[in-house]
Amino acid sequence: MPAYDTRLADAHRCDGPYERAKTLLNLAMEIFKENSPSNFTGLPLTKHTLGLLYFALQRWDPALESLLEALQIRERLLSHDHPLLALTSYHIARVYLHKPDEQETALKYALRALQIRQAKLPRSHLNLHLSVLLVQSLTSTNPSNVHSIGKHFSCSYHDNILDYHKPRD
């Protein structure tokens, strides 16, 4: 049931009925908290997805809170260079872009995502390319398009885990 709620909520998040998605994600989190062992990865996935939902609604503080919680849990459960840490770090950086005077913090998370993705992904992978663009925009003297990075890919945020196991080109 919880995995079903998470996938269904994610589908709603991408299609636009955000309140229904938020309800399903909160339900999934309650089920995970009550019925799952402490090392279960469904809770950080749900928190990550909820953070992306808030991002789509331009609610930066709840987005950041959910994504930081997801990252904290993933750091406890996964290796320091796990691709899911890069995924959540990338989205945290994107949230910080919308917070005044947080460009340095955004860059910190963007660099972390880039570092992991450079080590784990083939050079042609879209997520690696998006990380490079984000870091370049954050370090350029004219970051005019920084908010549009990843805009067209916001609903395809699940990295393909199989790509992390392919040999790099």
Side-chain angles (χ1 to χ4, degrees), residues 86-87 90 113-121 127-128 131 159:
L87 178 65
Y90 172 81
L114 177 61
Q115 185 177 41
I116 294 169
R117 287 173 169 177
Q118 283 176 325
K120 299 289 183 177
L121 294 176
N127 288 329
L128 178 56
S131 283
D159 288 337

Side-chain angles (χ1 to χ4, degrees), residues 152-169:
H152 303 292
F153 305 102
S154 61
C155 282
S156 60
Y157 70 93
H158 288 290
D159 288 337
N160 183 346
I161 297 301
L162 296 176
D163 287 341
Y164 295 111
H165 303 289
K166 291 181 184 173
R168 296 186 64 197
D169 350 295

Side-chain angles (χ1 to χ4, degrees), residues 48-116:
H48 181 99
T49 304
L50 185 60
L52 295 180
L53 171 75
Y54 283 125
F55 185 91
L57 295 172
Q58 298 182 4
R59 295 184 57 203
W60 312 126
D61 289 334
L64 187 59
E65 180 182 339
S66 292
L67 288 166
L68 286 170
E69 287 178 26
L71 183 64
Q72 183 180 35
I73 296 167
R74 284 178 169 169
E75 286 174 333
R76 195 175 67 243
L77 299 177
L78 305 171
S79 64
H80 72 282
D81 62 346
H82 195 282
L84 292 175
L85 296 179
L87 178 65
T88 304
S89 295
Y90 172 81
H91 288 290
I92 290 170
R94 290 190 62 215
V95 173
Y96 273 118
L97 290 174
H98 296 279
K99 298 181 77 56
D101 304 319
E102 293 287 357
Q103 301 304 295
E104 284 186 36
T105 306
L107 180 60
K108 177 182 104 173
Y109 284 99
L111 285 170
R112 181 180 187 190
L114 177 61
Q115 185 177 41
I116 294 169

Side-chain angles (χ1 to χ4, degrees), residues 5 9 18-29 50 53:
D5 284 344
Y18 299 120
E19 288 305 313
R20 178 73 176 140
K22 189 169 76 169
T23 300
L24 290 169
L25 288 167
N26 284 322
L27 174 64
M29 278 194 295
L50 185 60
L53 171 75

Side-chain angles (χ1 to χ4, degrees), residues 31-44:
I31 292 170
F32 288 145
K33 286 178 185 176
E34 291 174 15
N35 301 307
S36 302
S38 62
N39 64 348
F40 184 65
T41 59
L43 182 60

Side-chain angles (χ1 to χ4, degrees), residues 123-142:
R123 284 189 287 250
S124 60
H125 198 282
L126 173 63
N127 288 329
L128 178 56
H129 179 69
L130 290 173
S131 283
V132 168
L133 287 174
L134 183 58
V135 169
Q136 286 174 344
S137 294
L138 285 165
T139 57
S140 81
T141 55
N142 184 18

